Amino acid sequence: MLITIPDVLSATEVKQAKVALDAAEWVDGKVTAGYQAQSVKENLQLPEGHLVTVKLGEMVLAALARSPLFMSAALPLRVFPPMFNRYTGGGHFGTHVDTAIRANASTGQRIRTDISATLFLSAPEEYEGGDLSVEDTYGVHSVKLPAGHLVLYPATSLHHVTPVTRGARVASFFWVQSMIRSDADRTLLYDLDTAIQRLALETPGNPTAVQLTGVYHNLLRRWAEM
Ligand code: NI
């Protein structure tokens, strides 16, 4: 499932992030890429332990925690500390699949990357190119979102970022280990949750909504890995 979550960060938070990122020292993005991805990756990143990475990462994590849509779609067990990248002057990232297992540099804790996430920090009119292109069984999806908006997509999918030919594209990226490993199972739960919420809104106190809520939780109980 590919899902976009609007306004994860407010306009003020985006501005605050961009001021800090504009002043930071960027390094070659190849440092966090696996062997195959290194050969196709041309961008800049902030180092994982950098003060700006940590501070802004905390801001992103706090924003995720207050997003019911993120919680419902991702059913997160662990979120990898958000990182930041910058594409400019033809920078791009060729087709690859994200590394399956990653270790948190500060805690050593490993996470399985079930979901990949990109939080756009540059407005679409600030740059040319820089589309995130994700392949799934339904075809290729091109994603370019307003600043502050987030896209979640299966980490199992092939994806790439097209060259940025004008301006700069700055984004935060991270991964989620979900309580529900399978994208198909997670999609079912998300659809069920969405339908229940709609039913409860349309007819408050509807006993069918109560019963379906029970089904949702019993499926989650059956499938969740922790
Ligand atoms: Ni990737």
Side-chain angles (χ1 to χ4, degrees), residues 93 96-98 116 153 159 175:
F93 198 163
H96 66 280
V97 166
D98 291 344
S116 298
Y153 58 100
H159 55 277
W175 297 274

Side-chain angles (χ1 to χ4, degrees), residues 35 38 40 88-89 127 159 194 199 222:
Y35 182 74
Q38 273 185 18
V40 293
T88 189
Y127 60 99
H159 55 277
T194 308
L199 190 61
R222 177 173 289 222

Side-chain angles (χ1 to χ4, degrees), residues 3 5 7-8 13 18-19 31 51 72 83 163 169 174 180 198-199 202 206 209 211 220-221:
I3 181 168
I5 303 179
D7 301 316
V8 168
E13 287 171 319
K18 290 189 74 189
V19 168
V31 289
L51 188 64
S72 174
M83 298 201 286
R169 172 200 195 266
F174 54 91
I180 306 298
R198 202 168 297 148
L199 190 61
E202 283 165 8
N206 186 326
Q211 195 172 12
L220 188 56
R221 205 186 320 276

Side-chain angles (χ1 to χ4, degrees), residues 37 41 87 93-99 102 116 118 132 153 155 157-161 173 175:
K41 190 175 185 184
Y87 293 82
F93 198 163
T95 304
H96 66 280
V97 166
D98 291 344
T99 304
R102 285 195 172 264
S116 298
T118 299
L132 170 67
Y153 58 100
S157 57
L158 282 168
H159 55 277
H160 67 271
V161 176
F173 64 102
W175 297 274

Side-chain angles (χ1 to χ4, degrees), residues 191-206:
D191 286 345
L192 181 56
D193 189 21
T194 308
I196 292 167
Q197 288 188 39
R198 202 168 297 148
L199 190 61
L201 204 66
E202 283 165 8
T203 50
N206 186 326

Side-chain angles (χ1 to χ4, degrees), residues 45-64:
Q45 270 176 211
L46 278 196
E48 276 182 71
H50 195 293
L51 188 64
V52 175
T53 311
V54 175
K55 285 281 161 217
L56 293 182
E58 282 168 4
M59 184 175 88
V60 173
L61 290 177
L64 295 176

